[in-house]
Amino acid sequence: MTTNVPVIDTHAHHAPEAGATNYLNNRSGFWSWAGTLDHKRIGLMYLVGVSIAFLCGGLFALLVRLHLWEPEGMLFDNAQYNQIFTLHGAFMVFLFVIPAIPGSLGNMVLPLMLGAKDVALPRLNLLSFYLWLTGAVLATLAIVLGGFDTGWTFYTPYSLYTQQAVVTIGLAIFVLGFSSIFTGLNFIVTVHKLRAPGLTWFRMPLFVWALYATSLLQVLATPVLGITVLLVAFERLYHIGIFDPRLGGDPVLFEHFFWFYSHPAVYIMVLPAFGIISELVSVHSRKPLFGYKLIAFSSLAIAIISFLVWGHHMFTSGQSTYAMFAFSFLTFFVAIPTAIKEFSWVATIWKGSIALNSPMLYTLAFLIIFAIGGLTGVILGALNVDIHLHDTYFVVAHFHYVMMGSIALAFFAGLHHWWPKMFGVMYDEFLAKIACAIIFIGFNATFLPQFIMGSRGMPRRYATYVPDYAPYHAASTVGVIILTVGIGMMVFYLVASLFQGKKAMQNQWGGVTLDWLCPTPPPLENFDVPPKVVHEVYDYSTLDYQSMQTPVR
C-alpha cells in the first residue's frame, strides 16, 4: 500500500561526523585512491579505466573503417588488418562492454540504491578492480609481444597455429574473468544482506534487479570461459589434443565452450543497460514503471534462457538439424522477456511528463537502436536466413546495434543521469544534447549501410572487397567519423564540467530512489542518517520538490 511518508527526512540537516566529507574530498593523494575501500572511488577508477579502453577500441575501429575506404585497402597489409580488427573487438568486449556498467555505475550506485554504506565485501571490490587493471595491462603487453590476429573469438584451429601472442591475451581474459566473477559475488551478497529496512525485493529499483541477474550470470557462466582459454593455452604449449584436429581434437568443441559462455555474456553486457533504461524512463517521464514485476522477472528469465541459446552462433558448423531447430526456437523464445521490457518502457513514457534533457534523449536513442538490433536478431534466428547471412556484414551490423549501440548509449545515458550525483556539478546541457544527436546520426550512418551490403553477400573481416561494395563502405566510414566527433564532444564537456561546471541541485532530476535522497556528492558512508524505506518504489507522490531546488553547497 502506497503512503506519502518520505523515505528520509530531507528537511532535517544532521551534522556529519568529523571527517565525513564527501568521498571526493575526504582524502587526497595517490595512495588514498590506490588503497581505497570506498565503492564510489572504486567506481570512479573503473570509469576512468573503461573509458580509456573504450577510446582505444574506438581508435582501432576508426583505423579499420579508414582502411576500408578503398576496395584494395588504404593503411595496412592483410596481416596488420587482422590484428587491428582483433584489437578492436578484444578491447571493446573484454575491457569495456562487459565491465563498464557493473564496474563503474554499478559500483557507484548499487549501495546508494540499497541504502547501504558500501558493498558487502569492499576488499574484494578493490581486488576486482586490480584484476581488471592487470588484465588490461596483459592485453596491452600482448600487443607489444607481437599482437594477436585471431579475432576476439580466438577460434581454433587457427589460434593454435598462429605464432602470435595468443597465450598472453588468453591469460589476460582469464584474469579479467576473475574480476567479473568477484564483482558478481560481491553484488549478490550486497543485495541479499545490506538492503535498508523496509526495502523488500519488490521495492528494489530495477537497476538493482538488473545487476542482480547479471551477477548470477557472471558467477555461473564466466568460469566456462576461463577453462576454455586455459585449454587453448595448454593445447598450444603441450599439444594435448583437445581442439587440434591433427591430434584427434575437435575445433567445433571450442565453439561450444566459447559460446556457452559468450551468449550469456551478451546478457552480462546488456542486462545492466536494461536496468539503466528502466530507471531513466521512470524518472524523466515522472511516472511509475509500467509492469514493474514483469520487468524484474524478465531479467531473471533472460538470465536463465540465455544459457540455452548458444548454438544459434553455430548454424553453419554441421551440428544436428534437430539441435538447430531447438536453438532457433529458443532464440525466438528469449525475445519474449526482452520485448516485455521494450513495451513496458514505451508504456511508461506514454502520456508521461517527459523531460527532454540529455539523459532522456540518450534513453530514447537507446529505444530506437535496441529495437533495430532486436528485430535483426530475430531475423538471424531463422535457420534459412541465417545460412545466407552468416559471417556477413549483416551480422556485424546486428552485433553493433545490440552491443555497441544499445549498451554504449545506455552507459552514456546513465553517466549523464548520475553525473550530478557523482560529482556535484552539471555539464553543459546544450552541448550534451548536440553530442547525443551527433552520436545517434553517426552510429546509424555507420551501421545501416552494413545491413545492406551484408544482405548482398559482403563477408565480414575481409581487408579488401570488390568495388561493388565501395559506396556502402564509404558511407560507413563517413558515419564513424561523425560518431567520433560526437564522442569527442561528449568527453570534452564532461571533463570540462569537473573544472567549471555549475553546482548541481541536491536532487537534479527529481528521483525518488535512495540514491537521490542521500547528499550530493555522497559522504564517505553515503547517508548522514540510516535510511528506512516506507513507500513503494517509483512513487512520485512522495517527491520533496524543495530538495530538487537546493544547490549543492
Side-chain angles (χ1 to χ4, degrees):
M1 181 176 178
T2 303
T3 175
N4 289 331
V5 181
V7 177
I8 301 176
D9 183 1
T10 55
H11 300 290
H13 299 285
H14 301 267
E17 298 177 5
T21 55
N22 75 63
Y23 69 101
L24 293 172
N25 301 320
N26 187 55
R27 290 182 298 160
S28 60
F30 172 79
W31 292 111
S32 72
W33 282 82
T36 185
L37 299 180
D38 183 0
H39 69 98
K40 299 178 290 297
R41 285 191 164 193
I42 294 171
L44 289 183
M45 292 192 292
Y46 263 114
L47 178 60
V48 172
V50 299
S51 297
I52 292 172
F54 175 75
L55 294 176
C56 290
L59 174 62
F60 295 136
L62 179 61
L63 291 174
V64 166
R65 293 307 326 160
L66 291 174
H67 173 80
L68 294 173
W69 180 266
E70 293 182 355
E72 295 302 318
M74 286 181 58
L75 303 179
F76 313 111
D77 59 32
N78 291 352
Q80 291 171 332
Y81 176 82
N82 288 345
Q83 290 197 32
I84 294 298
F85 84 70
T86 299
L87 286 169
H88 164 65
F91 268 67
M92 281 297 197
V93 172
F94 296 111
L95 295 178
F96 173 70
V97 177
I98 291 177
I101 296 177
S104 59
L105 297 180
N107 256 313
M108 173 65 65
V109 176
L110 179 70
L112 300 179
M113 286 186 158
L114 295 175
K117 294 180 179 180
D118 207 312
V119 293
L121 305 167
R123 287 179 174 81
L124 190 65
N125 198 21
L126 183 62
L127 176 61
S128 297
F129 170 73
Y130 281 122
L131 287 173
W132 178 89
L133 188 61
T134 302
V137 171
L138 286 171
T140 306
L141 180 63
I143 303 174
V144 177
L145 295 177
F148 47 102
D149 61 355
T150 60
W152 72 273
T153 55
F154 311 105
Y155 275 176
T156 58
Y158 182 72
S159 59
L160 303 177
Y161 303 157
T162 179
Q163 299 302 308
Q164 298 191 337
V166 174
V167 173
T168 305
I169 188 63
L171 180 60
I173 294 170
F174 184 78
V175 173
L176 290 168
F178 271 102
S179 172
S180 184
I181 292 169
F182 290 159
T183 298
L185 281 172
N186 214 341
F187 285 1
I188 290 170
V189 177
T190 302
V191 170
H192 276 274
K193 295 296 184 181
L194 297 186
R195 300 197 307 275
L199 187 61
T200 61
W201 283 91
F202 292 113
R203 285 179 173 176
M204 290 197 312
L206 285 167
F207 187 42
V208 176
W209 273 101
L211 289 173
Y212 183 76
T214 301
S215 299
L216 295 175
L217 285 173
Q218 287 174 307
V219 171
L220 295 175
T222 307
V224 178
L225 177 67
I227 293 169
T228 303
V229 295
L230 276 183
L231 289 174
V232 170
F234 287 152
E235 187 84 315
R236 285 178 60 89
L237 296 173
Y238 304 114
H239 311 291
I240 55 180
I242 298 175
F243 305 127
D244 191 341
R246 296 179 302 183
L247 302 175
D250 184 1
V252 177
L253 180 62
F254 174 87
E255 292 189 53
H256 282 288
F257 282 172
F258 182 85
W259 288 114
F260 184 80
Y261 160 77
S262 293
H263 197 83
V266 168
Y267 295 102
I268 290 174
M269 304 173 204
V270 82
L271 276 172
F274 291 164
I276 288 175
I277 299 304
S278 296
E279 295 299 319
L280 270 59
V281 295
S282 176
V283 173
H284 298 286
S285 299
R286 198 66 79 246
K287 276 181 64 180
L289 270 158
F290 180 88
Y292 166 87
K293 289 186 178 181
L294 279 175
I295 297 178
F297 284 128
S298 68
S299 294
L300 297 179
I302 289 170
I304 295 169
I305 301 171
S306 67
F307 278 103
L308 306 175
V309 297
W310 80 90
H312 74 210
H313 295 273
M314 302 170 58
F315 284 158
T316 61
S317 67
Q319 63 185 338
S320 161
T321 301
Y322 297 106
M324 291 197 293
F325 288 163
F327 285 126
S328 180
F329 169 77
L330 289 167
T331 300
F332 295 140
F333 189 65
V334 78
I336 295 174
T338 307
I340 286 172
K341 293 180 181 293
E342 184 89 19
F343 286 116
S344 295
W345 294 329
V346 173
T348 302
I349 294 171
W350 179 255
K351 295 187 177 180
S353 180
I354 302 172
L356 289 177
N357 46 43
S358 54
M360 190 59 175
L361 290 177
Y362 276 108
T363 299
L364 296 174
F366 168 92
L367 295 178
I368 297 170
I369 295 296
F370 182 72
I372 296 173
L375 290 172
T376 53
V378 172
I379 292 172
L380 290 171
L383 285 171
N384 56 340
V385 179
D386 184 82
I387 298 300
H388 170 67
L389 296 177
H390 188 81
D391 262 345
T392 69
Y393 263 86
F394 192 97
V395 178
V396 175
H398 159 72
F399 183 85
H400 281 82
Y401 265 86
V402 175
M403 293 294 98
M404 191 278 175
S406 299
I407 295 171
L409 283 173
F411 176 69
F412 298 159
L415 190 61
H416 285 74
H417 180 72
W418 281 297
W419 189 270
K421 174 60 65 176
M422 294 161 64
F423 298 105
V425 295
M426 271 299 293
Y427 44 81
D428 188 313
E429 181 69 8
F430 176 75
L431 287 180
K433 293 178 180 178
I434 297 298
C436 178
I438 293 174
I439 290 171
F440 181 75
I441 293 169
F443 180 85
N444 284 287
T446 301
F447 294 107
L448 282 176
Q450 295 183 13
F451 281 124
I452 300 172
M453 61 178 161
S455 66
R456 296 187 177 187
M458 173 68 203
R460 60 178 172 172
R461 300 178 178 145
Y462 276 43
T464 59
Y465 54 89
V466 296
D468 293 356
Y469 298 113
Y472 305 110
H473 278 291
S476 189
T477 301
V478 171
V480 84
I481 293 171
I482 296 171
L483 181 60
T484 302
V485 171
I487 292 172
M489 181 183 293
M490 180 183 66
V491 172
F492 167 76
Y493 67 71
L494 287 177
V495 173
S497 72
L498 300 177
F499 300 97
Q500 57 189 27
K502 295 180 180 179
K503 294 294 183 182
M505 300 299 174
Q506 286 288 353
N507 187 351
Q508 183 68 38
W509 311 116
V512 292
T513 48
L514 291 178
D515 52 311
W516 290 107
L517 299 179
C518 68
T520 301
L524 185 61
E525 295 188 347
N526 297 338
F527 296 89
D528 292 340
V529 291
K532 181 179 180 180
V533 176
V534 293
H535 66 69
E536 303 304 318
V537 67
Y538 307 122
D539 180 4
Y540 291 96
S541 67
T542 66
L543 181 60
D544 178 6
Y545 286 93
Q546 181 178 346
S547 70
M548 294 177 61
Q549 306 303 320
T550 306
V552 174
R553 295 177 180 176

